[in-house]
Amino acid sequence: MTPPPDSREGAGRWHRTFLGEKEQVRAARLFVKAHLPDHLDAELIISELATNAVEHTRTGQPGGLFTTTVKRNPDGTAYIEIADQGGPAVFGLPTPNREGGRGLYLVTALATAWGFKGDAAGRTVWVELPPPAP
């Protein structure tokens, strides 16, 4: 299955659908970087969100997909979201001996706000970013 190419939804807003494979996390980073080149934290954030979608939802199963939406606002702020194909409602908690489980703490530190909507059938995680540093 080949996902469709980038789509422009309007001034400053784009979305693209990716295959639910680990290799596609890099492609999602490049997509975000192309549309938000001055928001350096956006690449790190999308990497975390795309990885979560591939590793923790049905998106990572054969034939799975995730969609990334990017919006650049006139005031310099930005909005990113990842829509996945749903899965468990609770993930593992970070522990001193566990490698993963800290990515959303990073998202919290870099974003002005973030949240999610949806349920086990499909979820969208969204992030608002401040204007880039001068």
Side-chain angles (χ1 to χ4, degrees), residues 4-19:
D6 294 4
S7 297
R8 186 175 180 133
E9 296 179 357
R13 186 176 173 103
W14 302 267
H15 70 270
R16 182 172 172 193
T17 300
F18 299 91
L19 297 174

Side-chain angles (χ1 to χ4, degrees), residues 39-73:
H39 286 272
L40 304 179
D41 295 336
E43 283 184 76
L44 185 57
I45 289 170
I46 202 67
S47 183
E48 176 59 31
L49 299 182
T51 298
N52 283 352
V54 171
E55 290 185 359
H56 301 295
T57 75
R58 283 190 292 280
T59 289
Q61 295 176 358
L65 302 169
F66 67 91
T67 300
T68 300
T69 300
V70 175
K71 182 178 180 190
R72 183 177 24 213
N73 298 314

Side-chain angles (χ1 to χ4, degrees), residues 56-101:
H56 301 295
T57 75
R58 283 190 292 280
T59 289
Q61 295 176 358
L65 302 169
F66 67 91
T67 300
T68 300
T69 300
V70 175
K71 182 178 180 190
R72 183 177 24 213
N73 298 314
D75 65 357
T77 61
Y79 174 87
I80 303 170
E81 68 179 30
I82 292 243
D84 65 41
Q85 294 182 298
V90 179
F91 307 119
L93 296 173
T95 65
N97 298 323
R98 186 166 170 245
E99 184 176 323

Side-chain angles (χ1 to χ4, degrees), residues 8-39:
R8 186 175 180 133
E9 296 179 357
R13 186 176 173 103
W14 302 267
H15 70 270
R16 182 172 172 193
T17 300
F18 299 91
L19 297 174
E21 301 169 352
K22 287 183 181 184
E23 299 78 24
Q24 292 294 293
V25 172
R26 181 176 187 273
R29 277 196 317 266
L30 293 172
F31 170 74
V32 169
K33 182 179 181 178
H35 296 295
L36 298 175
D38 50 349
H39 286 272

